């Protein structure tokens, strides 16, 4: 409550204790909002409510302690009943004039949704000059593992303008996803992208499909990636949330001067496989002088309990500017006290333009 600062309220209350209409205007340190709500409480004590809620330049981020979110102006119609998630029935329709996220102000956001019998269904649309988005989905919390289903599309998202990337990139894609689970370590299902187009000032790249699938548990847990660019997999017992810190810890052990943040990580024991197929069209958008015209392969094994890691890789040809590197071989292995790294090339061709 203290976050609201000084609060000025003006309104009225009409009706009975168990059936009333409350209208009010609240002026607070976070912004102004209005409510016009009818609340009825049955003899059994079950509440039912309907009405309107509006906010004007309200500092939502400060209220919920989320730095990426700023101010919001919206109008919402709400109708529902119940006081627990199990009994909750809800219908909501909200028109968001603007909302700030990561320093960009999104305009014309609409949200329509419902909650019934522990199933949430909704539709989010954005009709902003720098992004068009239309996502529909459901979340079913009746099974032991919640079930999620999302479909939709993103059109002409100017990621640099939206302050999501540093590079000038425009993204268009279609999303189809279905997965089950309650956290990153027990989720199973698939996430698919189709008809993906990435545009920057230098190039235009189209990708038919990308599929990320997750299955299994324990040592049989498998994350796999399939696309025209590359295929990859991680199989074993690992904690996704702390996996980046595990890799940072390996590097920092042998490069103590590395400045990075490492959080405690759980047991990581897995096999890694990555196959480069045709990544030139994507690479050329960001590094136009770099080309990998032929396929490459990387495989590895990691075990945090035994403090061992191995990584082996081979790329037949790498072109960079006027140089061509042939038969790149990478062999790396570590244990608790030793790190071995071997990088070799069969030959390097130098273009006369370099001299």
């Amino acid at each position: 409550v203290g976050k609201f600062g000084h609060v000025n309220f003006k309104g009225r209350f009409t009706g009975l204790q168990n059936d009333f209409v409350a209208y009010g205007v609240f002026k607070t340190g976070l912004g102004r909002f209005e409510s016009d709500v009818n609340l009825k409480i049955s003899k059994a004590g079950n509440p039912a409510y309907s009405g309107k809620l509006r906010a004007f330049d309200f500092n939502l981020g400060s209220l919920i302690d989320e730095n990426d979110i700023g101010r919001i102006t919206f109008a919402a119609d709400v109708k529902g009943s119940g006081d627990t998630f199990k009994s909750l029935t809800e219908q909501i329709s909200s028109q968001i004039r603007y909302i700030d996220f990561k320093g960009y102000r999104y305009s014309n956001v609409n949200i329509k949704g419902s909650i019934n019998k522990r199933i949430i269904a909704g539709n989010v649309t954005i009709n902003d000059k720098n992004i068009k988005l239309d996502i529909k989905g459901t979340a079913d919390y009746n099974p032991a593992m919640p079930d999620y289903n999302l479909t939709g599309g993103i059109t002409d998202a100017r990621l640099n303008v939206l302050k999501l990337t540093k590079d000038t990139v425009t993204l268009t894609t279609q999303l189809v996803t279905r997965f089950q689970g309650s956290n990153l370590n027990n989720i199973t299902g698939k996430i698919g992208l189709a008809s993906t187009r990435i545009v920057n000032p230098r190039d235009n790249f189209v990708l038919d499909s990308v599929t990320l699938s997750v299955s299994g548990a324990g040592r049989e847990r498998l994350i796999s990636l399939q696309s025209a660019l590359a295929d990859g997999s991680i199989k074993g017992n690992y904690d996704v949330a702390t996996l980046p810190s595990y890799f940072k810890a390996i590097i920092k052990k042998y490069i103590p001067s590395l400045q990075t943040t490492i959080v405690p990580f759980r047991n990581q024991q897995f096999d890694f496989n990555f196959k480069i197929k045709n990544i030139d069209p994507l690479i050329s958008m960001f590094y136009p002088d770099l080309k990998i015209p032929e396929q490459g392969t990387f495989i590895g094994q990691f075990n945090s309990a035994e403090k061992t890691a191995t990584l082996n890789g081979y790329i037949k040809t790498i072109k960079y500017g006027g140089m061509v590197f042939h038969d790149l071989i990478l062999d790396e292995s570590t244990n608790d006290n030793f790190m071995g790294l071997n990088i070799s090339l069969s030959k390097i061709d130098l273009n006369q333009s370099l001299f």
Side-chain angles (χ1 to χ4, degrees):
V1 177
K3 295 179 181 179
F4 287 96
H6 179 73
V7 178
N8 180 282
F9 170 74
K10 182 179 180 181
R12 62 178 182 270
F13 176 97
T14 58
L16 305 175
Q17 185 177 1
N18 61 348
D19 186 357
F20 62 86
V21 175
Y23 170 79
V25 177
F26 298 82
K27 295 181 180 179
T28 77
L30 297 179
R32 178 167 64 95
F33 65 93
E34 300 177 359
S35 65
D36 188 358
V37 179
N38 172 233
L39 176 64
K40 297 180 180 180
I41 302 176
S42 69
K43 292 182 179 180
N46 297 319
Y49 46 86
S50 62
K52 300 179 181 296
L53 180 66
R54 295 192 296 174
F56 304 89
D57 202 40
F58 188 80
N59 195 336
L60 179 62
S62 294
L63 178 64
I64 63 176
D65 292 323
E66 180 52 65
N67 294 330
D68 287 337
I69 296 177
R71 293 184 174 273
I72 184 173
T73 291
F74 72 89
D77 294 308
V78 180
K79 183 177 182 181
S81 63
D83 56 359
T84 66
F85 186 53
K86 183 177 181 180
S87 65
L88 187 64
T89 299
E90 187 92 29
Q91 294 281 343
I92 184 170
S93 177
S94 177
Q95 295 78 45
I96 300 174
R97 183 179 175 185
Y98 63 78
I99 181 171
D100 299 331
F101 181 70
K102 287 186 176 294
Y104 179 80
R105 176 158 289 182
Y106 291 79
S107 302
N108 303 319
V109 181
N110 290 315
I111 301 174
K112 292 184 178 180
S114 65
I115 304 174
N116 187 28
K117 297 180 179 179
R118 293 172 58 87
I119 299 175
I120 300 175
N123 178 209
V124 179
T125 64
I126 301 176
N127 187 21
D128 185 275
K129 63 182 180 180
N130 290 307
I131 181 174
K132 304 292 187 291
L133 178 145
D134 188 347
I135 299 289
K136 298 180 177 66
T138 60
D140 186 352
Y141 290 93
N142 288 292
M145 291 291 183
D147 184 85
Y148 303 91
N149 188 355
L150 294 173
T151 60
I154 300 171
T155 304
D156 294 334
R158 297 178 175 88
L159 303 184
N160 176 259
V161 179
L162 299 175
K163 300 186 179 180
L164 299 177
T165 66
K166 294 182 179 180
D167 295 302
T168 302
V169 176
T170 300
L171 172 69
T172 296
T173 191
Q174 294 293 315
L175 170 70
V176 178
T177 180
R178 181 73 178 268
F179 59 92
Q180 302 80 36
S182 58
N183 59 60
L184 288 174
N185 292 321
N186 62 26
I187 282 178
T188 59
K190 290 185 178 182
I191 299 175
L193 299 178
S195 302
T196 301
R197 180 183 297 273
I198 303 173
V199 180
N200 73 0
R202 292 184 298 269
D203 214 336
N204 187 330
F205 172 67
V206 178
L207 182 62
D208 288 337
S209 67
V210 178
T211 301
L212 180 69
S213 60
V214 185
S215 62
R219 282 290 301 161
E220 297 302 313
R221 185 156 180 79
L222 174 67
I223 297 178
S224 63
L225 169 72
Q226 292 181 315
S227 74
L229 295 172
D231 294 338
S233 67
I234 300 177
K235 184 178 182 180
N237 187 12
Y238 46 86
D239 178 60
V240 175
T242 61
L243 198 56
S245 273
Y246 167 62
F247 287 122
K248 290 178 184 178
I250 293 176
I251 298 171
K252 190 170 179 62
K253 181 177 178 64
Y254 299 100
I255 309 177
S257 61
L258 179 67
Q259 298 297 315
T260 186
T261 301
I262 299 175
V263 300
F265 52 84
R266 298 181 181 179
N267 181 50
Q268 311 284 1
Q269 185 178 355
F270 58 89
D271 297 332
F272 168 84
N273 191 306
F274 185 76
K275 181 179 180 181
I276 298 172
K277 296 166 72 174
N278 180 24
I279 61 174
D280 269 4
L282 183 61
I283 291 177
S284 66
M285 299 189 68
F286 305 100
Y287 304 99
D289 292 333
L290 176 63
K291 296 184 182 301
I292 304 178
E294 299 180 69
Q295 297 182 358
T297 301
F298 292 88
I299 59 174
Q301 292 182 325
F302 301 85
N303 190 320
S304 62
E306 297 181 0
K307 299 182 180 180
T308 60
T310 62
L311 179 64
N312 308 105
Y314 173 75
I315 300 177
K316 185 171 180 58
T317 308
I318 300 174
K319 297 180 179 180
Y320 186 76
M323 298 181 290
V324 182
F325 303 90
H326 297 273
D327 299 315
L328 170 68
I329 297 175
L330 168 68
D331 289 307
E332 178 274 340
S333 64
T334 65
N335 57 37
D336 192 24
N337 302 308
F338 173 81
M339 177 181 181
L341 177 62
N342 179 50
I343 300 175
S344 65
L345 294 162
S346 64
K347 66 175 180 176
I348 301 175
D349 296 334
L350 302 178
N351 192 297
Q352 290 184 355
S353 63
L354 292 172
F355 301 98

